[in-house]
Amino acid sequence: MPGLWGGVRNGTDKKMESDQRRIVEGSIFFLLFCLTVPIANWMIGNVGTVCPGEGRGPCLIPVAPGLMAPSGVLMVGIALVLRDLVQRRLGVWASVAAILIGAGFSGLFAPIALVTASAVAFLLSEFADLAVYTPLARRRFLTAVVASGVVGLVVDSIVFLWLAFGSLQYLSGQVVGKALMVVLSIPFIIFLRRRDERRGLVHA
């Protein structure tokens, strides 16, 4: 009996330690994910190979020969990695909360149209995840990433560009740039998921 109770207690201690680690790590990733929205909005107004000037359009970067996109598209890959880390540790609704908090921070320095557009685009991606990515992610991860990426790629790009700038002029560049960032993020997400599995971290 002492050996049995000792085994149970040891198992309970390990679970508590795993849960504590999940919450601490989740809180750090949550904060970083919150920052992706204001950083993307700041980049759109300040970072690019071409910056038309305040009120005259977004700062742009080349994403393919002859194609330009708003520079905030560079944050898409980082946001996808952080979103996956937050979802696995704190759950889907924590990532929704992070987007709303990040949009609130953005309001301190970015135009309201840009803040609204980025928040709506991020939320559309999140709700596409709820419908497509999250149900598939545990069993068919790569399929989940591709499917949710395809669902969100064009729709939230159209919504973002129209709400932020009243134009779809950079739609092709936005879609291509975002697709590249999605592809680049996949190896990092796979690596981090496998590391979590080796550490015995339980999905929230």
Side-chain angles (χ1 to χ4, degrees):
M1 289 298 289
L4 175 62
W5 284 113
V8 171
R9 188 167 61 250
N10 189 41
T12 302
D13 289 344
K14 284 184 178 179
K15 185 179 185 306
M16 288 178 63
E17 182 182 341
S18 176
D19 287 345
Q20 185 177 34
R21 185 170 67 236
R22 176 172 58 80
I23 291 169
V24 169
E25 290 182 1
S27 300
I28 294 169
F29 295 134
F30 178 87
L31 176 61
L32 293 173
F33 187 41
C34 285
L35 294 175
T36 59
V37 180
I39 290 173
N41 287 337
W42 178 83
M43 289 177 67
I44 285 172
N46 297 276
V47 177
T49 56
V50 177
C51 284
E54 189 173 349
R56 290 189 292 169
C59 289
L60 305 170
I61 57 169
V63 293
L67 278 181
M68 304 289 281
S71 57
V73 77
L74 292 174
M75 291 302 297
V76 169
I78 297 170
L80 281 173
V81 173
L82 288 170
R83 181 177 67 188
D84 190 66
L85 290 168
V86 170
Q87 281 195 15
R88 287 177 62 79
R89 285 158 177 78
L90 302 179
V92 174
W93 294 106
S95 55
V96 172
I99 292 168
L100 295 175
I101 292 169
F105 287 156
S106 296
L108 299 175
F109 59 84
I112 189 64
L114 181 57
V115 172
T116 302
S118 60
V120 170
F122 267 92
L123 287 171
L124 278 173
S125 291
E126 204 61 39
F127 292 130
D129 271 9
L130 282 173
V132 180
Y133 174 85
T134 304
L136 289 173
R138 295 193 189 193
R139 293 175 299 165
R140 299 177 181 175
F141 170 67
L142 192 56
T143 303
V145 172
V146 173
S148 66
V150 169
V151 168
L153 203 59
V154 177
V155 175
D156 64 31
S157 293
I158 290 173
V159 170
F160 170 74
L161 291 172
W162 186 257
L163 289 179
F165 309 113
S167 167
L168 300 180
Q169 179 181 356
Y170 303 111
L171 179 60
S172 297
Q174 178 82 0
V175 170
V176 170
K178 190 170 180 181
L180 287 172
M181 293 301 106
V182 169
V183 170
L184 289 174
S185 73
I186 290 173
F188 291 99
I189 297 175
I190 291 174
F191 167 76
L192 291 168
R193 277 176 167 256
R194 288 177 177 169
R195 191 196 65 162
D196 285 350
E197 289 169 3
R198 288 195 299 270
R199 293 167 63 198
L201 189 140
V202 180
H203 197 294

